[in-house]
Amino acid sequence: MIQTPSYVSLDLLADICWIPLVQGVLETGAPILGLDQGKTIRLALAAEEFILHLSRTSPGARLNMTLTREASRVSVLFRFESSSDDLWAMNLTAEGEISRDLDLGMDHMGLLLVSRVVDSFSITLNRRTVDITLYQNITYPEIEKAIDPDQSPEGTLSAHSFCEPAEISHACARVMACYPETLYPEAFKTPGEIIDRIAGKEFFAGLVKDEAGTIAGMICWEIPSRQTVEFYGPYLFSDNPKDTARLLIDLLVTSVARTPAITLYSRMATRDLPKGDFEPLARLTLRQFNGKIEKKTLWFRHLKEDTGCSVWAHPNLADFLKKTYKNLFLMRTIREYKSQGEIRPHRSLLGTRLEATRKEATLWPMLDGADIHENICRHIKLLTDEQYTNIFFTIDLSAGWQAALGGILIQTGFLPAYVLPYAGQSDKVIYQYVDPDA
Amino acid sequence: MSILMLDKLVPEHIQNFEPYFPSKPDTVLMSLFGVETLYRLNNNENALGPPPGVHRVIDDFVPDMVPVYPNGDCFFLKEKLAFKFNKSPDQFLVGNGSCEVISSVIKAFCMKGDNIITADKTFAVYEWVARFSGVEVKLIPLKDFRFDPDAMLDAMDEMTKIIFICNPNNPTGTYWDMDTMTRFLKAVDQRCIVVIDEAYFEYVDKKDYPDAMQLMETFSNVVAFRTFSKMYALAALRIGYLCSSPDVVDMVRRTHIVYSVNTPAQQAAAAAITDDTDFIAATRKMVKDARDLLCPFFDDLGLSYLSGQGNYIMVRTPISDTLLYRMLMKQGIMVRTMTGFRFPNWIRISLVQQPVMTAFVNAFQEVISSVSD
């Protein structure tokens, strides 16, 4: 069988003369990789603006561009060596600044456009190598909730990690019918995305079925970082929740037991989770779209023996960490650190992930900068103006500069909510914004 | 300067393989967990220490011997093994622990597109080495905590090159008896290599337990693995070996690194198997005494456990094994969590001397009581 190539790669220099070539590659390649015309045009526009920007700020820099079909999206990676000083214009809030001061902002308008015309983007730095990846999601049709209850499973139940696409789609519809939206991922509404992500080994699902193939329950998981697995469920559709839940959880744990993951956790665990298997990580207060307050328990367990590690912490976080680690029996060497007045880049960059239906936003520091206090404030204002009621800020305690943000986070209205072990290079602390007007 | 694109240089099966990170040194763990004593019940080491002959070898190893390369072929040790097991020296290959001979066997017989067969819940290294060698792994679920011979036979195809059987199985302690093993080998019918890993051979005291060294006289595709790390307590020296028909060993030798076994390890191993009868008996007694203490203890707590062969026991815990590990470590007891063996919420405990077993019982009782409150 001849397979469609899954990526195209170009090595070029940062110069506007290559823009037509880049556009040609994207406009030809992205549809072959499954992107629709509208999103292809936006992707090509973003790439054009990015090359324009780089040719102004780092003329002649060597650049690799790779267009790739991922499971449920198309990505364009730009890898180059450069200063990251100008990347601040990819902040969610950059639009306001640029529109206020066009003389200052014109050079950065391109980056702003880049960040706005694609579905999402990421930035990583490895010494002087900058990776900017732009993502365009494939569009999938939405399904309706299942209306009629299934026939009850009978006889012996067994767990299966290989599932037919139709079974996944069917199970997603059953989950939508049986559980509130706060307990399942948004993508369940577009199961084609789930099916493609499962095929691409980005997302995983297990089903419990009876001998006739009737589905009794489902559990899903994904791998958000190298050392963590996040799961959703267990979702039960039968009258025998105990056995079904046990089978689903055992399938999940044995499936990920020999991966590099250390922490298995859930922010969307259902009440049928076998509690002895997991440890409560935190109890969060969330404000739903309709104003209702929701209390949610986060659960986790380790998959490996935790033999401890060192973490950086701002002095004002140390007590919270000590108490948390003691409760969780986690051995950590806490090394306190705060900014020592050292020279920092002028402009910071914050990553943002928005979940509009839940009114939930998560921020994280991508690049440090002297303006980070103001930058965080700008983000809070924008998000609260847009009615985001659940705002989180995540820092990786393996990075001293991120830990040092602890002081600023408290000043800007955040409080430490929980520790997610090994979610970054070491543990992450998730702060939650406490709106004084709420 | 061009940009290094590692993802395009590294084969996919290596990118997808996850490195194993061993535990931290005991001193570091003791400092982290704030304990002054740490009882190691996690690696099935023989807490009695090596046989007396080994002490003499280690004492006699002087710095003047360090500059000289070890014998690259473990000449004297192989002679000793041949004499002990009534074989010829060319039927043995000695490695830097059994892990090295696992790697050599897979390299010798497998290439891309081939597969190996083993169980889903057994010693992980067969699976790991195959995966990072780009070889498909067919994992067959245990049946009643035992290797399932029929399912393993059903999984065989023309690309199957090696079947790994851990006998007795680590961590369940179950084993195939002579009838089961013989029927299996007949059914395999020389279509592939059958590795019988007997890492815990010397701990088994059952009349129906098959000896792979004998089986290979009838079935020339049998490869026996043995180690000096478990019964003989030479774990720090890293030495294990395989034994098979000369033709099979000749093939494996081609992929085997020479000079990987150091001189003290070779000498200590040779000393260990000399007059080992009393030592093995003493060790077996220690294991039996420990088993006799733990089984009633778990019965009283109403916990399921597996007490088979080998110097270990497995127990199902009412809380996650990884939480129990952390709580026991705070009391200076280190056990092995079994989630990594695909037995979530089980732990494996090495069976050692009574005072340590008593310390384990007390700590375990305290931890279980605290979570029940």
Side-chain angles (χ1 to χ4, degrees), chain A residues 30-177:
Chain A
I32 291 172
L33 299 180
L35 203 61
D36 65 39
Q37 190 187 12
K39 291 207 170 190
T40 296
I41 291 169
R42 290 162 73 91
L43 190 62
L45 172 65
E48 176 190 344
E49 292 296 341
F50 179 75
I51 305 267
L52 266 172
H53 169 81
L54 201 62
S55 64
R56 279 200 295 264
T57 55
S58 305
R62 294 181 84 96
L63 172 70
N64 173 267
M65 182 188 90
T66 303
L67 171 71
T68 307
R69 168 67 198 245
E70 298 180 16
S72 62
R73 60 189 182 180
V74 169
S75 69
V76 181
L77 162 71
F78 294 102
R79 177 171 290 175
F80 57 99
E81 291 192 356
S82 173
S83 160
S84 56
D85 289 348
D86 297 307
L87 298 178
W88 65 269
M90 297 188 89
N91 274 307
L92 185 70
T93 54
E95 189 172 11
E97 283 182 79
I98 290 171
S99 59
R100 275 199 306 276
D101 189 346
L102 284 178
D103 288 340
L104 167 81
M106 279 312 289
D107 276 351
H108 302 289
M109 188 63 87
L111 275 189
L112 174 68
L113 272 171
V114 169
S115 65
R116 296 300 181 274
V117 300
V118 294
D119 288 331
S120 58
F121 66 93
S122 70
I123 298 171
T124 58
L125 285 175
N126 184 4
R127 295 184 184 156
R128 282 183 54 80
T129 301
V130 183
D131 279 359
I132 294 186
T133 312
L134 313 178
Y135 300 101
Q136 289 287 66
N137 299 333
I138 305 291
T139 306
Y140 295 91
E142 286 200 19
I143 59 163
E144 298 292 326
K145 294 177 183 178
I147 299 170
D148 300 324
D150 277 346
Q151 186 184 344
S152 288
E154 292 177 356
T156 308
L157 299 175
S158 56
H160 304 262
S161 54
F162 299 100
C163 315
E164 289 291 327
E167 291 177 322
I168 296 295
S169 180
H170 181 79
C172 286
R174 296 289 305 143
V175 171
M176 289 167 63

Side-chain angles (χ1 to χ4, degrees), chain A residues 9 62 64 79 226 253-254 257-258 260 276-277 279 301-308 328-331, chain B residues 1 3 5 18-19 24 32-33 122 127 319-323 325-326 330 336-337 339-340 342 344-345:
Chain A
S9 187
R62 294 181 84 96
N64 173 267
R79 177 171 290 175
R226 183 176 168 78
V253 176
T254 54
R258 286 189 181 171
D277 292 25
E279 302 165 53
R301 60 159 292 156
H302 274 345
L303 296 164
K304 293 183 171 60
E305 293 152 12
D306 187 331
T307 57
L328 297 176
F329 289 90
L330 293 173
M331 299 306 123
Chain B
M1 209 168 76
I3 300 162
M5 304 287 277
E18 300 305 338
K24 293 185 171 79
L32 271 167
F33 283 87
T122 187
E127 180 184 339
I319 57 173
S320 89
D321 51 342
T322 46
L323 172 60
Y325 167 86
R326 304 197 303 270
K330 283 291 288 175
R336 173 65 73 222
T337 59
T339 293
R342 302 192 175 100
N345 303 343

Side-chain angles (χ1 to χ4, degrees), chain A residues 256-316:
Chain A
V256 299
R258 286 189 181 171
T259 68
I262 300 174
T263 299
L264 173 64
Y265 72 99
S266 183
R267 295 175 296 173
M268 294 187 188
T270 62
R271 63 181 177 276
D272 296 303
L273 187 73
K275 297 295 189 296
D277 292 25
F278 290 84
E279 302 165 53
L281 191 61
R283 187 152 173 81
L284 291 184
T285 302
L286 299 173
R287 193 175 291 274
Q288 289 182 3
F289 178 67
N290 56 13
K292 268 177 64 177
I293 297 294
E294 179 198 4
K295 297 270 187 186
K296 186 184 267 189
T297 302
L298 278 56
W299 296 90
F300 93 110
R301 60 159 292 156
H302 274 345
L303 296 164
K304 293 183 171 60
E305 293 152 12
D306 187 331
T307 57
C309 63
S310 298
V311 293
W312 294 106
H314 187 276
N316 71 13

Side-chain angles (χ1 to χ4, degrees), chain A residues 4-24:
Chain A
T4 306
S6 60
Y7 75 89
V8 180
S9 187
L10 272 184
D11 286 317
L12 62 159
L13 302 178
D15 190 295
I16 56 171
C17 71
W18 295 115
I19 286 176
L21 174 67
V22 166
Q23 285 181 313

